[in-house]
Amino acid sequence: MKKDVLIIIPAYNEEGNIEAVLEQLEKPEIADFSDVLVMNDHSSDRTNMIVKKHHHALVTHVFNLGYGGGLRLGYKYAIRRHYKYIIQMDADGQHDVSNIPVIYKELTTPDADGNVPDIVLGSRFVERSTLFPVSAAKNIAFHLFRRMIRISTGQTIMDPTTGLQGLSWRAALFYSKFSHFDDRYPDANMIIQMILLGFRVKEVPAVMHIRTTGESMHSGLKPVIYMIRMFFSIIATVFNIKVLRWDESVKKELNT
């Protein structure tokens, strides 16, 4: 039977974590309404074999596309197979699967004006979220990106780097197109882009855990490089929309 939701999991060398994640996603309260797609980003470990053992949809890249590149390919997969909603989560076990039904409910629940969200962000830093410790460097980045989002959009987003997100078909379709999605680090820059383009973005509390094994993509000096790159990416995004008026051509595209 066709299901409404596709759960996309980007994975790179996650043999120590991904099996436990898949086992949780196979429980009836989640599997009844969702399918799973793992985007294996040229892993050199047993990630590929583990996913095959669990019989989930699997795309294995022949070379490393990066986190954002894998997600965009996943969006294309979802659109071509007519899923109504997409939920993306990490393979490292940090995103508790109990968040999946919560995000699905938010994606399908209209507000007082009858509108449903285009993007639902699972947040570590709003009321009723679980406590989640972060390093001093990451805390600085969070404060910077929150402020940049607030200044450029007028909206407050407490967790601008969350990888736990739910998308409507409309948002996923937009992201799946060329040049609409950052293929390296799609975080605060994409949130700003989508808000400025008129997409409805909502933040909900999430349950998250600390990674227990494997290596984060933000280890070592990577957080510093990430913060610098994201800073300039946000400036470029705001410039393209507010100065070069990219939003006008996009809105025409969305209305056709």
Side-chain angles (χ1 to χ4, degrees), residues 236-255:
T237 297
V238 174
F239 184 82
N240 284 339
I241 295 175
K242 290 196 171 185
V243 178
L244 300 183
R245 306 306 302 172
W246 183 54
D247 59 324
E248 293 180 0
S249 61
V250 167
K251 287 175 181 176
K252 289 180 182 178
E253 177 185 328
L254 291 171
N255 290 328

Side-chain angles (χ1 to χ4, degrees), residues 16 36 47 87 150 160 189:
V36 174
T47 296
I87 297 176
R150 180 68 179 174
N189 52 347

Side-chain angles (χ1 to χ4, degrees), residues 62-82:
V62 295
F63 55 88
N64 193 275
L65 291 181
Y67 178 76
L71 281 175
R72 185 168 61 184
L73 187 58
Y75 302 145
K76 291 180 181 293
Y77 178 102
I79 294 301
R80 290 178 181 177
R81 284 159 178 77
H82 308 290

Side-chain angles (χ1 to χ4, degrees), residues 138 185 211 214-226:
K138 288 184 179 179
Y185 299 117
R211 172 190 279 270
E215 182 180 347
S216 170
M217 69 176 181
H218 292 305
S219 59
L221 290 175
K222 293 177 183 177
V224 177
I225 298 171
Y226 161 82

